[in-house]
Amino acid sequence: MAAAAAGGERARPDPAEQRAELGPLLATALRPGESWYLVESRWFKQWKKYVGFDSWDMFGSGDPNLFPGPVDNAGLFPGPIDNSGLFGDPESQSLKEHLIDELDYVLVPTEAWNKLVAWYGCIDGQQPIVRKVVEYGLFVKHYKVEVYLLELKLCESSDPSNVISCHFSKADTVATIEKEMRKLFNIPAEKETRLWNRYMSNTYEQLSKLDSTVQDSGLYQGQVVLIEVKNEDGTWPGHHCLAKGSGFVCNSYNCRDTASLSQPGLCGLSNLGNTCFMNSALQCLSNTPPLTDYFLEDKYEAEINQNNPLGMRGEIAEAYADLIKQMWSGRQSHVAPRMFKTQVGRFAPQFSGYQQQDSQELLAFLLDGLHEDLNRVKKKPYLELKDANGRPDSEVAKEAWENHRLRNDSIIVDIFHGLFKSTLVCPKCSKVSVTFDPFCYLTLPLPLRRDRLMEVTLVYADPQRRPVQYRVVVPMMGAISDLCESLSKLSGVPAENMVVTDVYNHRFHKIFQMDEGLNHIMPKDDIFVYEVCKPSEDGSEYVTLSIYFREKTMRQSSNTSGTVLFGQPLLISVPKHRLTVDHLYSVVLEQISRYVKLPLAEEYSPCPDRGTCNGSNGVVEGDIEEMEHQDSGEEGKEKLTEADPCHSEGCMQVESARDLQPCKKQHFTFSLVNSSGTSEINSIVEGKILKLNAFAAVAIDWDSETRRLLYDEQEAQAFEKHGSMLQPQKKKAVVALRDCIELFTTMETLGEHDPWYCPNCKKHQQATKKFDLWSLPRILVVHLKRFSYSRYWRDKLDTVVEFPIRGLNMSEFVCDPRAGSYVYDLIAVSNHYGAMGVGHYTAYAKNKMNDKWYYFDDSSVSVASEDQIVTKAAYVLFYQRRNSEEHSAPSAPQEECDGMDTN
């Protein structure tokens, strides 16, 4: 076999050595300035399987008969590193948007990358994807690999229409940008220059600090940076386009002059590059009347706590106040929240980049940050927690709330904090533990769907039948066997004759076992189910092979670069005692006969030469295979007829007319390849019987001309749709908000991995746990838990939750018997459209000046009606309590303690 890279095969250690060498390197800690490389997850997982990197990948453990591939790991050989799945544009090799670490790619340090390249090489023409480790955070240093660089649009002040796009790291300095611009626009070193960023159509800000980083300067994705060269007479040329009024514009939020004043609060927020999540959360908070009034009336100034070690020196509060004043000034139709985003990124590194984030996570950070910046408690006392020990709930709740207020006293606590009651009961000794804990928002679970719809394509064993696409209903937490049973009912093909596969880039990414969970299959996976023959009761053994289509190119380079996969892979079952090259050729030819049309003269003419026969024109040098055909004869046919291994009607018998009348020329040759089809293990050499393991991958190699003449691309891709695909899908069940609240307050048993330590039993127990609501705040923030995460599954629940616009009565859910009325009206909603990790955020909010609803979509603000608000996109709900000034703190007479709702 030709090596994947020059010298690659000679230098490659055995799998155990590779595992030992790379293990410590992959555990290396990130250090600023170092380079790390992106490797597509699919290739990396294949490598890990090949070397047995994880304990569950070691073939010695478990029953090899259950493993869907060869017991030896030769078929798992990963071949050259292939990052093609990460590229949005194969030509420019630019990354796809919204790639997720571990799910789509793996990061490896330089030394590990160099070793992998030395051992396996890279796909021909692919450039390495290398990125730098950068530092985030102001107080707590946080390092991460900057996968997505920031694109800036560079131009000269003398010719602003000539824009050149360049990518920079957020750790690069303004001086780096200037140096690059001098080079791009041929500006001599002796010429004095200055840089300006443009963040609205006619607003510029000077980038005067050359040592400031791109991140600290607040530059964002797609921003225009302009370079200005000083005139010979010592003046600057740009006054006509850069000046605004009497001086230069340096106000971060200054947007544009508007002749007519807009309604206060109806102010859009510019998208700075995937910042719609932030804009949505900010619009909800901006339209929370008690909080906005607090900032507009400058009450925050006297309460800023610059010395709180848990706070942010008052900078988040000041940045938020500045933004709110801009939004409620009535002078702008939209503003760019650049400095606010920069400040958030300094204190919360997870929000510092320009990748899509979660509006609820930002909201949680912001409420906590504002609370600590505005905490009226300058020195927090140490308080010892006391157990309830059978005391009345009202007494324990009052004590918990007062203790909370001794350490936490701010406008955020006044407005947003309520109290949970948590009850744990030990199943062994019946010990009851009651605690009361403050909360800032309610995270409500959504009733989970029990079933899941999956779209799969069934490939029949009958070669003349086109594949058929089905839509099947399977249990949400079911197994592959459930999928097969469901498909069997619709198709008539026995479930035991099905093999379920995930097809990706013309190859089998995974062949599933019957007992594997369906949670391994994600919605975007292309699932193909193949009808295959299984061993019969009389003992005839069949082996099922993976068949890949490959086209050989004429390039005289490495073996891998000379082949390209195409078409839909096949699974073919062949009796072990008939597994010869000649028989395999006839079986494959029969199976592909629907879309590979042979000339009649060739199809039935006997082969005059029973010796060697190879279709090697176009085969890469060094890869020509001699195929000495064995005459299978009548004896083999009789043996085959005796065994009837298949129970499916119309299931392809491997006997073929072509066994007796072989064609005079072979149109393709065979190679034994790895499971990705990217690298050959060895050539298939003629022998009486080929020794191949179950699901071994065999490539059928075509030269370009034969493929063009005989392979019907359109028919090969053709499929039919079953009636299940055409039936209208059931209308999704509608869930009421009260259902979510009831689910939240339902008693549950703790999982075995999340036990509770019982102080009586002196050990961990799987206790029962129940949450109740003891008291609720003035502003009730409800977070609908639409996103679910697991190792294999990331999903968004798009259930419609019916929630009232006005008159949400929470009184029945409050367990404090002395509580007053808790009736709420909706004031804002944060919406999320699309799938998890991508999509778009917007907001609905009610303006406090005119009580009308508006739709906020980044910089756009439009009038909305109440009937538009309840949708499946609703993610975070903001409710304001009616007559809140009448209600006091939990179970405490008004004269005795600070009320929760007095502000």
Side-chain angles (χ1 to χ4, degrees):
M1 183 189 78
E9 190 167 317
R10 287 191 300 276
R12 187 186 308 123
D14 64 40
E17 280 183 67
Q18 292 184 43
R19 192 169 68 238
E21 283 190 46
L22 252 63
L25 295 177
L26 296 173
T28 306
L30 297 177
R31 285 189 286 269
E34 288 187 346
S35 295
W36 284 58
Y37 290 77
L38 273 72
V39 180
E40 187 181 358
S41 279
R42 288 180 189 252
W43 186 91
F44 193 73
K45 284 175 186 171
Q46 188 73 17
W47 173 80
K48 286 173 81 173
K49 283 183 188 174
Y50 176 63
V51 301
F53 192 84
D54 296 312
S55 57
W56 53 85
D57 285 332
M58 300 292 285
F59 296 116
S61 60
D63 180 1
N65 295 321
L66 296 177
F67 188 74
V71 175
D72 66 287
N73 65 355
L76 296 172
F77 183 72
I81 298 170
D82 182 5
N83 281 336
S84 54
L86 300 180
F87 299 131
D89 176 16
E91 291 299 317
S92 66
Q93 296 191 8
S94 58
L95 288 185
K96 288 178 182 172
E97 292 183 6
H98 311 302
L99 293 175
I100 300 172
D101 189 13
E102 297 296 337
L103 192 66
D104 300 304
Y105 63 84
V106 173
L107 291 160
V108 300
T110 301
E111 192 179 345
W113 169 262
N114 290 340
K115 285 180 183 290
L116 288 173
V117 172
W119 298 336
Y120 297 98
C122 288
I123 289 288
D124 193 39
Q126 276 190 17
Q127 296 301 312
I129 310 171
V130 58
R131 294 292 188 264
K132 286 271 197 280
V133 178
V134 295
E135 183 179 273
Y136 292 87
L138 189 65
F139 301 122
V140 180
K141 294 302 178 189
H142 177 85
Y143 306 118
K144 69 178 179 183
V145 177
E146 186 179 30
V147 173
Y148 288 95
L149 298 175
L150 198 66
E151 182 188 25
L152 297 177
K153 299 183 183 300
L154 312 178
C155 63
E156 289 182 280
S157 62
S158 57
D159 184 11
S161 60
N162 177 29
V163 176
I164 300 174
S165 289
C166 271
H167 289 85
F168 294 93
S169 164
K170 297 175 196 66
D172 283 338
T173 61
V174 173
T176 308
I177 301 174
E178 185 191 37
K179 185 178 177 183
E180 184 65 22
M181 293 182 78
R182 281 181 179 274
K183 190 166 71 177
L184 285 172
F185 299 114
N186 298 313
I187 299 170
E190 63 274 9
K191 290 278 190 183
E192 192 178 340
T193 60
R194 60 184 184 183
L195 266 57
W196 299 82
N197 65 35
R198 185 175 81 198
Y199 54 88
M200 296 304 282
S201 57
N202 196 29
T203 306
Y204 294 81
E205 180 180 34
Q206 189 176 350
L207 296 168
S208 52
K209 294 181 181 175
L210 293 182
D211 60 345
S212 183
T213 64
V214 167
Q215 180 175 309
D216 290 341
S217 301
L219 296 175
Y220 57 84
Q221 179 73 13
Q223 191 162 20
V224 174
V225 175
L226 181 141
I227 191 166
E228 188 184 19
V229 183
K230 201 170 196 178
N231 294 328
E232 297 293 340
D233 61 4
T235 61
W236 292 98
H239 289 282
H240 61 283
C241 68
L242 298 174
K244 196 166 189 182
S246 57
F248 291 106
V249 175
C250 289
N251 186 328
S252 318
Y253 293 119
N254 199 339
C255 212
R256 63 181 189 194
D257 290 331
T258 48
S260 58
L261 296 179
S262 62
Q263 168 82 28
L266 303 187
C267 179
L269 295 168
S270 301
N271 193 319
L272 308 179
N274 283 331
T275 56
C276 56
F277 74 96
M278 179 181 77
N279 295 345
S280 172
L282 285 172
Q283 292 291 6
C284 292
L285 281 179
S286 167
N287 286 282
T288 301
L291 185 65
T292 293
D293 290 344
Y294 171 84
F295 281 100
L296 293 180
E297 293 165 13
D298 292 331
K299 291 180 182 177
Y300 72 96
E301 290 179 347
E303 296 187 343
I304 284 182
N305 188 340
Q306 294 183 330
N307 302 314
N308 185 354
L310 298 178
M312 295 153 210
R313 302 189 308 214
E315 292 180 30
I316 288 289
E318 288 176 338
Y320 181 76
D322 191 11
L323 179 57
I324 288 296
K325 288 175 183 178
Q326 291 287 327
M327 294 171 70
W328 286 85
S329 67
R331 288 195 296 271
Q332 282 97 18
S333 62
H334 58 277
V335 299
R338 294 172 55 253
M339 291 314 295
F340 176 78
K341 172 149 190 339
T342 301
Q343 291 288 51
V344 167
R346 291 173 66 206
F347 295 101
Q350 66 269 33
F351 300 119
S352 59
Y354 290 88
Q355 284 183 278
Q356 184 66 278
Q357 302 284 350
D358 187 311
S359 68
Q360 187 272 331
E361 288 177 8
L362 176 89
L363 188 66
F365 160 77
L366 195 49
L367 289 173
D368 186 56
L370 289 173
H371 160 63
E372 295 295 0
D373 268 6
L374 299 166
N375 199 343
R376 301 167 190 128
V377 178
K378 305 303 179 189
K379 188 175 180 183
K380 297 189 176 187
Y382 171 75
L383 298 168
E384 195 169 326
L385 292 175
K386 295 179 187 174
D387 196 71
N389 281 331
R391 291 183 291 160
D393 281 351
S394 57
E395 182 184 331
V396 182
K398 179 175 180 290
E399 178 181 87
W401 183 251
E402 287 176 347
N403 285 346
H404 179 58
R405 292 302 295 244
L406 286 171
R407 293 173 57 84
N408 303 279
D409 184 13
S410 71
I411 183 67
I412 302 301
V413 178
D414 297 341
I415 295 174
F416 292 97
H417 284 206
L419 210 58
F420 283 139
K421 176 187 175 185
S422 174
T423 307
L424 286 154
V425 180
C426 178
K428 301 296 182 189
C429 70
S430 301
K431 159 76 176 171
V432 178
S433 172
V434 176
T435 56
F436 290 85
D437 301 293
F439 68 88
C440 193
Y441 49 86
L442 273 184
T443 294
L444 299 183
L446 272 63
L448 278 175
R449 295 169 296 188
R450 292 187 178 88
D451 293 327
R452 170 185 172 193
L453 282 175
M454 289 182 67
E455 292 182 6
V456 300
T457 303
L458 177 60
V459 181
Y460 290 93
D462 178 356
Q464 298 310 312
R465 288 191 72 174
R466 285 180 172 177
V468 177
Q469 195 174 35
Y470 290 85
R471 182 180 287 136
V472 293
V473 179
V474 294
M476 179 62 78
M477 301 310 292
I480 295 294
S481 55
D482 295 310
L483 168 60
C484 294
E485 290 294 342
S486 241
L487 185 56
S488 177
K489 287 174 185 170
L490 291 177
S491 66
V493 174
E496 63 268 21
N497 286 2
M498 294 180 183
V499 176
V500 179
T501 70
D502 175 3
V503 175
Y504 173 76
N505 277 358
H506 317 290
R507 61 181 72 116
F508 293 118
H509 171 58
K510 186 168 175 60
I511 296 174
F512 293 96
Q513 298 178 61
M514 282 293 186
D515 60 352
E516 284 190 78
L518 290 173
N519 59 336
H520 291 231
I521 298 177
M522 292 198 235
K524 64 179 180 181
D525 291 341
D526 287 321
I527 300 302
F528 284 79
V529 181
Y530 289 79
E531 179 189 6
V532 296
C533 297
K534 296 288 180 180
S536 63
E537 292 176 7
D538 67 3
S540 295
E541 277 197 72
Y542 273 65
V543 62
T544 301
L545 303 176
S546 305
I547 306 293
Y548 293 160
F549 292 82
R550 293 199 310 182
E551 181 181 335
K552 296 277 191 179
T553 65
M554 291 298 292
R555 284 183 296 173
Q556 299 300 315
S557 57
S558 72
N559 178 52
T560 304
S561 63
T563 62
V564 60
L565 290 171
F566 70 94
Q568 178 73 26
L570 300 172
L571 286 179
I572 291 181
S573 288
V574 185
K576 280 190 173 181
H577 69 278
R578 299 286 307 279
L579 190 50
T580 62
V581 170
D582 195 24
H583 185 69
L584 185 59
Y585 180 86
S586 64
V587 169
V588 171
L589 203 57
E590 178 75 26
Q591 189 67 10
I592 63 178
S593 59
R594 180 172 55 85
Y595 46 90
V596 173
K597 303 299 182 188
L598 301 182
L600 283 174
E602 286 188 15
E603 193 166 359
Y604 297 110
S605 60
C607 183
D609 179 9
R610 300 298 294 172
T612 62
C613 179
N614 60 64
S616 60
N617 46 333
V619 173
V620 173
E621 186 179 355
D623 193 40
I624 296 174
E625 296 151 2
E626 294 292 308
M627 300 223 171
E628 296 178 358
H629 291 200
Q630 297 293 315
D631 190 350
S632 57
E634 291 292 332
E635 185 185 346
K637 182 179 179 184
E638 286 167 12
K639 280 183 188 172
L640 178 74
T641 314
E642 288 165 12
D644 182 5
C646 187
H647 308 292
S648 304
E649 185 181 343
C651 179
M652 186 200 74
Q653 300 295 324
V654 295
E655 181 54 58
S656 163
R658 290 190 179 84
D659 284 325
L660 304 178
Q661 298 177 334
C663 63
K664 69 179 180 184
K665 176 192 172 186
Q666 284 207 331
H667 298 287
F668 50 81
T669 57
F670 294 100
S671 302
L672 188 62
V673 294
N674 66 338
S675 60
S676 297
T678 52
S679 185
E680 295 186 13
I681 297 169
N682 52 48
S683 300
I684 291 185
V685 183
E686 174 55 31
K688 285 283 185 187
I689 299 293
L690 296 174
K691 301 293 184 186
L692 296 178
N693 292 302
F695 297 106
V698 176
I700 55 174
D701 295 324
W702 302 65
D703 66 80
S704 303
E705 184 62 15
T706 306
R707 175 186 172 184
R708 187 183 64 80
L709 289 172
L710 303 182
Y711 187 86
D712 184 340
E713 302 273 356
Q714 191 170 352
E715 182 58 34
Q717 293 174 22
F719 66 91
E720 293 171 3
K721 289 196 174 188
H722 183 257
S724 58
M725 294 292 296
L726 308 175
Q727 290 169 0
Q729 294 190 45
K730 288 182 188 174
K731 192 176 179 184
K732 287 193 176 5
V734 175
V735 174
L737 184 61
R738 65 175 297 111
D739 297 333
C740 302
I741 300 168
E742 285 172 358
L743 189 59
F744 175 77
T745 55
T746 300
M747 183 182 292
E748 61 175 351
T749 302
L750 296 177
E752 59 180 309
H753 301 296
D754 184 30
W756 168 66
Y757 183 80
C758 175
N760 271 9
C761 301
K762 306 292 184 192
K763 66 180 205 177
H764 287 91
Q765 302 284 11
Q766 281 182 256
T768 58
K769 183 175 186 178
K770 187 177 190 309
F771 275 128
D772 287 296
L773 303 173
W774 184 262
S775 65
L776 298 177
R778 287 180 69 187
I779 300 296
L780 178 63
V781 179
V782 176
H783 165 222
L784 301 175
K785 196 175 179 184
R786 291 195 177 277
F787 299 116
S788 57
Y789 304 79
S790 74
R791 182 176 171 191
Y792 299 103
W793 182 261
R794 302 181 180 202
D795 191 22
K796 180 189 175 188
L797 302 174
D798 55 2
T799 311
V800 175
V801 177
E802 294 276 9
F803 51 92
I805 306 295
R806 57 177 65 82
L808 169 65
N809 192 341
M810 294 291 290
S811 303
E812 63 179 291
F813 297 107
V814 174
C815 64
D816 177 5
R818 298 167 60 184
S821 171
Y822 284 100
V823 180
Y824 289 86
D825 296 318
L826 190 73
I827 55 171
V829 180
S830 174
N831 302 304
H832 178 268
Y833 299 92
M836 204 189 88
V838 293
H840 184 58
Y841 286 92
T842 65
Y844 286 109
K846 189 176 183 182
N847 184 272
K848 69 187 182 78
M849 309 285 281
N850 61 12
D851 278 345
K852 290 183 179 176
W853 282 94
Y854 294 89
Y855 184 61
F856 297 86
D857 184 356
D858 287 334
S859 55
S860 165
V861 183
S862 54
V863 176
S865 60
E866 287 188 4
D867 57 6
Q868 295 175 288
I869 295 168
V870 179
T871 69
K872 67 178 183 180
Y875 181 42
V876 184
L877 315 176
F878 282 66
Y879 279 97
Q880 183 170 19
R881 187 173 167 190
R882 291 181 184 172
N883 305 318
S884 57
E885 66 276 0
E886 295 173 9
H887 300 288
S888 61
S891 292
Q894 287 182 329
E895 67 272 16
E896 287 184 22
C897 104
D898 283 341
M900 285 177 65
D901 306 311
T902 54
N903 284 293

